[in-house]
Amino acid sequence: MPEFTVLVTDDDQDIRDGIEIYLKNEGYRVLKAGNGLEALELLEENEVHVIVLDIMMPQMDGISATFKIREQRNIPIIMLSAKAEDSDKIHGLSVGADDYVTKPFHPMELVARVKSQLRRYTKLGTYQGKQATVEVDGLILNQEAKELSVEGEAVKLTPIEYKITELLMINAGRVFSINEIYERVWNEPAYNAENIVAVHIRKIREKIETDPKNPRYLKVVWGVGYKIDK
């Protein structure tokens, strides 16, 4: 089963945490935001497959966030609201939501709605899954075969080296901090990660760069992190 990511957006932390528990038990990766602005920021940085979005939130409410999301994305949106009137449901659906759940609700009902939206999105919608290959300049990453080539020459990477390279190539142009790289690749909280990540970066450079000390592909942004340019 592929890993799907659900973005849970609600200004009530207890609700966010409760939904997260049930979704993680079903095997989903969960991101959490406290308002619409935080949700939009997470969408820019992550591949998200379903959004659970409360209507009444500070800074940016769910209706406004839906408008912004629909300008560029067709991700399924499930709205949450304490309002049960039909007019509110119609309004939420009319601005671009795909489903509507009224509080209070049983978490398993929401999980069932998430599963339903994912089925529609992945089988009938616009979701294409991961690209088979990712190309950045002379780098070609085959995500199905887990292989990398540089200017047509195959490069043998360890699993960790591959994951770091994949992360940076898929998000080409974006700078990742050392802690971000560690948490994404090792899937655990970063603690004293500088040396560990630096060693792997050095090994990757030795394999993909003609001159590792003056890298063409894998570059450092001093004081910030690493990136692969577009």
Side-chain angles (χ1 to χ4, degrees), residues 1-229:
M1 173 183 170
E3 184 183 53
F4 292 113
T5 299
V6 182
L7 172 55
V8 178
T9 309
D10 197 298
D11 59 334
D12 188 321
Q13 183 174 342
D14 290 339
I15 291 177
R16 293 197 304 270
D17 292 346
I19 293 172
E20 178 186 28
I21 291 169
Y22 281 86
L23 289 173
K24 281 191 170 181
N25 284 342
E26 295 295 319
Y28 298 112
R29 175 175 176 244
V30 179
L31 302 173
K32 296 184 291 184
N35 57 63
L37 288 176
E38 290 179 10
L40 293 176
E41 290 175 2
L42 286 171
L43 277 174
E44 289 298 319
E45 300 172 356
N46 299 272
E47 183 180 16
V48 174
H49 306 98
V50 178
I51 303 170
V52 176
L53 189 62
D54 188 31
I55 289 182
M56 301 298 292
M57 295 182 293
Q59 293 186 280
M60 179 182 283
D61 62 31
I63 298 294
S64 300
T66 299
F67 272 119
K68 296 294 293 183
I69 292 166
R70 285 291 178 253
E71 289 176 2
Q72 297 181 325
R73 295 175 172 84
N74 196 34
I75 305 166
I77 297 174
I78 302 173
M79 281 196 163
L80 304 178
S81 178
K83 299 180 178 181
E85 289 84 358
D86 287 341
S87 60
D88 295 308
K89 292 182 181 180
I90 293 169
H91 184 44
L93 296 170
S94 68
V95 298
D98 299 277
D99 202 353
Y100 192 106
V101 178
T102 303
K103 298 177 180 178
F105 54 86
H106 193 287
M108 289 308 297
E109 177 192 355
L110 181 60
V111 170
R113 304 283 186 104
V114 168
K115 289 181 178 179
S116 175
Q117 291 301 323
L118 265 175
R119 282 195 299 270
R120 293 175 57 191
Y121 183 46
T122 57
K123 294 181 180 179
L124 304 175
T126 58
Y127 176 66
Q128 300 297 322
K130 286 186 176 179
Q131 301 175 41
T133 60
V134 180
E135 298 186 29
V136 181
D137 200 355
L139 301 176
I140 300 178
L141 188 78
N142 186 320
Q143 292 184 282
E144 292 181 351
K146 306 295 183 186
E147 294 174 345
L148 177 73
S149 65
V150 182
E151 301 294 346
E153 295 291 326
V155 174
K156 189 172 183 180
L157 299 175
T158 68
I160 291 294
E161 291 165 2
Y162 175 86
K163 288 181 180 180
I164 293 172
T165 305
E166 181 183 46
L167 173 68
L168 297 178
M169 285 185 66
I170 290 174
N171 299 280
R174 184 191 161 196
V175 180
F176 283 85
S177 70
I178 287 172
N179 285 350
E180 282 182 296
I181 292 172
Y182 187 90
E183 290 175 356
R184 295 276 194 109
V185 171
W186 277 265
N187 198 29
E188 62 184 36
Y191 180 72
N192 291 335
E194 290 84 358
N195 289 339
I196 296 173
V197 173
V199 166
H200 287 284
I201 292 291
R202 176 174 56 79
K203 289 181 177 179
I204 294 169
R205 280 179 171 162
E206 290 172 353
K207 294 178 179 181
I208 70 172
E209 303 285 359
T210 303
D211 182 1
K213 293 183 179 179
N214 297 287
R216 169 184 172 186
Y217 303 111
L218 209 173
K219 298 182 179 180
V220 63
V221 178
W222 293 107
V224 183
Y226 296 96
K227 69 173 180 175
I228 288 179
D229 278 331

